[in-house]
Amino acid sequence: LNNEFRTEDGTVIVVPPTLLISAIGVIADVRRTITMDLKRPGNFVYVVGETYDECGGSRWYGVLDLLGSNVPIVRERAREVCVALEGAIGLGAVRACHDLSDGGLAVAAAEMAFAGDLGLDLDLGKVPGPVRRSDRLLFSESTTRFLVEVEPERAAAFERHMASANVVVG
């Protein structure tokens, strides 16, 4: 796509041609959709998918004026993770969900909390993946990860479903 805009003083800024990829899907029953806002105090939150040291090009590195070389990559299991999560949503086990891309876990948690007017506790020791540094756990932008809210009475079903698909949750 070719984008340009004019500033207030008349200067034209041209954005280099940029590839834009969009996806759409058909939802058979809109009542089965979920949003990102946290729904109820006492519900559990899970990180679905594994976190890697992939902060290169991230929002966090941008704030720190760093570039980094470990950029997020799409792993072979990406489709399996998405299909398993879609199945859990279909089972009614998921109350809210947010991707952990732009800004990582820290930003997704904040956005979910603000949207639901609720707080949440995160145990970084339970976040799946090889990363253990708190800063990386909070701000890595590894792909195919989600923060998911589950009601306590649905937690066992959610965990069983994700385990049966060999998807790591924490």
Side-chain angles (χ1 to χ4, degrees), residues 63-140:
V63 168
L64 297 175
D65 202 28
L66 299 172
L67 183 58
S69 59
N70 297 337
V71 296
I73 62 170
V74 178
R75 291 180 166 72
E76 290 181 29
R77 302 220 52 236
R79 184 177 192 286
E80 294 171 59
V81 171
C82 290
V83 168
L85 184 55
E86 178 187 23
I89 291 168
L91 292 171
V94 176
R95 295 285 292 145
C97 182
H98 195 312
D99 67 282
L100 301 187
S101 57
D102 194 21
L105 174 59
V107 170
E111 290 176 349
M112 290 177 81
F114 291 148
D117 199 23
L118 295 169
L120 67 145
D121 291 321
L122 298 174
D123 182 347
L124 297 182
K126 293 183 178 180
V127 174
V131 174
R132 296 291 34 111
R133 278 184 53 172
S134 296
D135 56 349
R136 302 298 196 266
L137 289 168
L138 287 168
F139 297 105
S140 173

Side-chain angles (χ1 to χ4, degrees), residues 4 8 17-18 31 37 46 79 92 96 103 112-113 118 128 145 155 163:
E4 63 181 52
E8 289 181 14
T18 306
R31 294 170 297 181
D37 53 304
Y46 294 87
R79 184 177 192 286
M112 290 177 81
L118 295 169
R145 296 175 314 132

